[in-house]
Amino acid sequence: MRTLPMDSNLLAASLLVSAVTLATACTDDAGTDENGDEIGATETTAGDSTTAGEAGETETESGSGTAESSTDADTTADETTTADTTADESTTADDTTTDDTTETTTEEEESTDTTETGDPCGPECCPGETQCVDDVAQECNEDGTAWEDAELCDDIQGVVCDTDLGECVGDCSESAIGLSYIGCDYYPTVTLQYDSYNTSPKDDFAVAVANTGDEDAMVTVTQGDAIVYDTVVSPADVAVITLPWVNELTKGNAPTKLTVDGAYRLRSDKPIVVYQYNPLDSTTTNDASLMLPTNAWGNDYMVASWAHWNSIPGFYTVVAHEDDTTVTVSGPPNAVGVSAGANIDGSGNGQVTLDNSDVLQVVTTSGDLTGSYVSADKPVQVIGGHKCTNVPANISACDHLEESLFPIQTLSDEYIVVPPVQVPNNDLDKAQMVRVIATEDDTQVTFDPDQSADATLDTGEFIQLSLTTAAFQVNASKPVLVVQYMVGQSGGYGTSDPAMVQAVTPAQFRTSYLFHAAPTWTANFVDIIAPDGANVTVDGVAVTDWSAVGTSGFNVGHVALSNAGNGNHTVESNLKVGISVYGVQSAGSYWYPGGLDLVINPQ
């Protein structure tokens, strides 16, 4: 499209036409004219809209008024041109300007209709506009060619579509709950467990639901289309809900499989926190996971698991929230044997399509799934772990491992790692294994204090620190995943067998937490990582016993939790702190991060 020359009077007339056009071209109502026809639908393309938007100021000032939009304006332009030009100039204007400008600016009218903000509109709608279609909030796409679903306004979550705003509104709408471990839509998922400990009524799979607000929360659990459980959770209270085991996911060792509607869906009409226990009561093989709500899910994950042990597999599971979710998985850089199935091959590579609540569970025949990569075209949940394993392999006894993993986009280059305490001697630290897993090539990793383990890693590679009781800071040149594993009970570091937890970066610490620690355990603890100057209370009691973590400026406090009451506890601080929660008994344990704000790219 070219810009044509004009004299000053013709330019003034053209600007008048443009002003009239811009005032009437596009409204929030409809993108139609008074006869109900689509505005700008004649031969206009997305490319025309983009070009007009980029060059709109130059072309409007150069005569991009609309020949069809105002008869009066056209007349004014003709009169002005006639009065102020010679016959030859008029002929030139008629031959050169009028005909070409009419054709050119008619095309521009169809591609430069604008919203109130001046953004160009497309043939279907104005980019950024919103509308309600039944219970779905829609937004006009970037080039104005189509309306796209933005959010389902789920009445089970107390969310409705406001027709005035064209948006979902309510305490559980995406805009209201933000990005943290607190949410309204969760997918508890049964994982592989040692077969002697995954059968009710001796052992139950369960979730704990903590109401973080000051109003009752209506909680509904479904599997597929069936309602499994519903209850009301009072403010600042915790409800423990036992759910049937899903045998396809927890029994046996193989093969890799896709289980339709294998996950439970747990929704609330008020923001809540959810933990899952596999199983609930303290037995000889346990672990627990802090569940992430769907608003905190991501598209890409680095897997943390543990090596195939004594014919017992490691695993990871992928759960979908939306239908037609395409999941692509890649095996780790070190060789792994996978029990092939569900279109996943023996090296852990493949692609599968999941619908809402479907579960892909990948299991080993040899090697370690740690360093596997999961990528999906829509947000998913990934849980990594092991059916039952020694940590390390030569120290008994085996215990179940599981952890709901953080999306790669929320991982950081800095972590504070502290060991748990021994039981019954709480003044001593318990040994752990620590893995630092790279998510990008050429990642440099260092430690403070020095752990003699500095390294440069490529994607999926990891550093492993063995049988360490050290507390230290991890620093990396690129985002890493840091995972901690309790050492087995026969290692000489007190009561409890293996459990697994992710470290949380200080960039995602919070000033307050509501969490749950099942009171059936012999002992429960919360470990607090706090910066210098923090004043912290646990259940209203000040924490006074702190130990410095190198020169990081952070300190760790181990606090034993009371088993009196319902297992509900709070941490409050004047500065942001991080917490992990664990419980132990003879030959058993669980461990999970107590909560976090899932900041995107928290470097």
Side-chain angles (χ1 to χ4, degrees):
M1 186 179 295
R2 66 181 186 276
T3 303
L4 300 176
M6 274 192 167
D7 67 23
S8 59
N9 292 316
L10 184 56
L11 174 61
S14 244
L15 289 174
L16 175 59
V17 175
S18 296
V20 173
T21 303
L22 291 175
T24 60
C26 182
T27 70
D28 290 337
D29 306 338
T32 59
D33 63 20
E34 62 186 3
N35 297 317
D37 296 322
E38 288 186 349
I39 295 175
T42 311
E43 300 181 351
T44 304
T45 66
D48 293 334
S49 296
T50 303
T51 302
E54 291 172 350
E57 182 178 351
T58 300
E59 294 173 0
T60 300
E61 293 178 356
S62 307
S64 59
T66 305
E68 298 173 353
S69 63
S70 172
T71 303
D72 292 341
D74 287 342
T75 303
T76 302
D78 290 339
E79 290 172 355
T80 303
T81 303
T82 302
D84 294 336
T85 60
T86 65
D88 289 342
E89 289 170 335
S90 298
T91 301
T92 302
D94 289 339
D95 292 344
T96 304
T97 304
T98 306
D99 293 342
D100 288 350
T101 302
T102 300
E103 179 180 354
T104 300
T105 57
T106 299
E107 292 175 358
E108 281 201 14
E109 176 197 5
E110 295 167 354
S111 61
T112 59
D113 292 342
T114 61
T115 62
E116 293 177 359
T117 61
D119 295 329
C121 287
E124 179 66 24
C125 52
C126 295
E129 280 187 317
T130 57
Q131 67 175 12
C132 293
V133 177
D134 297 326
D135 58 355
V136 176
Q138 294 186 329
E139 183 173 358
C140 184
N141 65 8
E142 292 182 357
D143 55 17
T145 58
W147 290 97
E148 296 181 350
D149 292 350
E151 182 181 356
L152 172 65
C153 307
D154 184 359
D155 60 353
I156 291 181
Q157 298 177 59
V159 177
V160 298
C161 201
D162 186 315
T163 55
D164 292 332
L165 298 175
E167 297 175 359
C168 295
V169 295
D171 292 341
C172 291
S173 64
E174 291 178 4
S175 60
I177 56 179
L179 190 65
S180 78
Y181 75 116
I182 302 171
C184 301
D185 195 358
Y186 296 83
Y187 284 75
T189 306
V190 172
T191 60
L192 280 174
Q193 173 60 274
Y194 202 72
D195 285 2
S196 298
Y197 301 98
N198 55 12
T199 304
S200 298
K202 174 180 171 291
D203 299 293
D204 288 311
F205 176 77
V207 293
V209 179
N211 183 349
T212 62
D214 54 9
E215 297 181 68
D216 286 348
M218 173 61 74
V219 174
T220 303
V221 182
T222 56
Q223 188 174 33
D225 295 329
I227 295 178
V228 178
Y229 194 92
D230 60 65
T231 190
V232 175
V233 184
S234 301
D237 199 5
V238 173
V240 176
I241 303 170
T242 59
L243 298 170
W245 292 97
V246 179
N247 288 339
E248 295 88 341
L249 296 173
T250 194
K251 300 285 188 183
N253 293 338
T256 293
K257 64 183 69 173
L258 190 163
T259 303
V260 174
D261 290 335
Y264 293 102
R265 188 177 186 187
L266 188 154
R267 284 172 284 179
S268 171
D269 64 352
K270 300 294 178 184
I272 55 174
V273 177
V274 177
Y275 311 89
Q276 71 174 37
Y277 290 91
N278 185 341
L280 172 64
D281 292 332
S282 52
T283 58
T284 30
T285 172
N286 296 77
D287 209 353
S289 294
L290 170 69
M291 306 306 294
L292 298 181
T294 56
N295 54 286
W297 289 10
N299 296 70
D300 298 283
Y301 291 81
M302 180 61 63
V303 171
S305 180
W306 197 258
H308 194 87
W309 176 80
N310 196 26
S311 300
I312 304 176
F315 69 86
Y316 68 85
T317 65
V318 184
V319 182
H321 170 53
E322 300 180 51
D323 288 345
D324 296 318
T325 297
T326 300
V327 179
T328 304
V329 302
S330 304
N334 295 323
V336 66
V338 167
S339 179
N343 210 36
I344 310 302
D345 67 20
S347 297
N349 302 310
Q351 189 174 86
V352 64
T353 299
L354 303 178
D355 288 335
N356 173 43
S357 299
D358 289 351
V359 180
L360 170 68
Q361 185 158 262
V362 180
V363 298
T364 59
T365 57
S366 64
D368 192 336
L369 286 166
T370 298
S372 298
Y373 199 98
V374 176
S375 182
D377 65 345
K378 300 172 185 177
V380 292
Q381 171 180 272
V382 178
I383 300 174
H386 202 285
K387 181 167 183 170
C388 192
T389 186
N390 286 359
V391 176
N394 62 336
I395 292 179
S396 61
C398 93
D399 206 342
H400 174 70
L401 304 178
E402 70 167 54
E403 184 79 350
S404 179
L405 300 170
F406 304 149
I408 285 178
Q409 65 179 343
T410 67
L411 300 180
S412 180
D413 55 7
E414 178 194 12
Y415 295 87
I416 305 298
V417 175
V418 299
V421 299
Q422 292 188 24
V423 174
N425 190 344
N426 299 355
D427 294 330
L428 298 177
D429 292 322
K430 182 177 178 65
Q432 60 176 338
M433 309 279 281
V434 181
R435 287 180 171 181
V436 181
I437 310 165
T439 64
E440 298 180 28
D441 289 346
D442 193 29
T443 299
Q444 288 86 43
V445 181
T446 60
F447 301 87
D448 176 25
D450 179 40
Q451 301 298 305
S452 300
D454 293 2
T456 299
L457 306 173
D458 286 336
T459 304
E461 295 180 342
F462 60 88
I463 299 167
Q464 180 169 288
L465 283 69
S466 299
L467 295 175
T468 178
T469 59
F472 50 84
Q473 182 180 39
V474 177
N475 292 292
S477 61
K478 299 175 182 178
V480 292
L481 173 64
V482 178
V483 186
Q484 303 165 241
Y485 303 83
M486 283 189 193
V487 168
Q489 186 161 306
S490 67
Y493 294 94
T495 297
S496 80
D497 276 336
M500 172 183 179
V501 72
Q502 290 168 107
V504 174
T505 176
Q508 296 174 340
F509 288 179
R510 294 171 54 88
T511 56
S512 65
Y513 297 86
L514 172 66
F515 63 95
H516 183 258
T520 57
W521 288 80
T522 300
N524 287 296
F525 294 85
V526 58
D527 285 352
I528 303 165
I529 301 170
D532 294 339
N535 298 315
V536 184
T537 63
V538 175
D539 297 335
V541 179
V543 180
T544 57
D545 190 6
W546 298 99
S547 299
V549 180
T551 60
S552 67
F554 287 91
N555 309 279
V556 57
H558 303 289
V559 178
L561 299 170
S562 170
N563 277 343
N566 62 3
N568 196 25
H569 302 277
T570 60
V571 168
E572 301 288 343
S573 175
N574 64 320
L575 301 176
K576 291 184 176 182
V577 300
I579 69 171
S580 66
V581 181
Y582 53 99
V584 299
Q585 63 143 33
S586 179
S589 62
Y590 73 87
W591 203 2
Y592 58 75
L596 73 164
D597 287 331
L598 281 159
V599 178
I600 302 298
N601 300 321
Q603 273 54 263

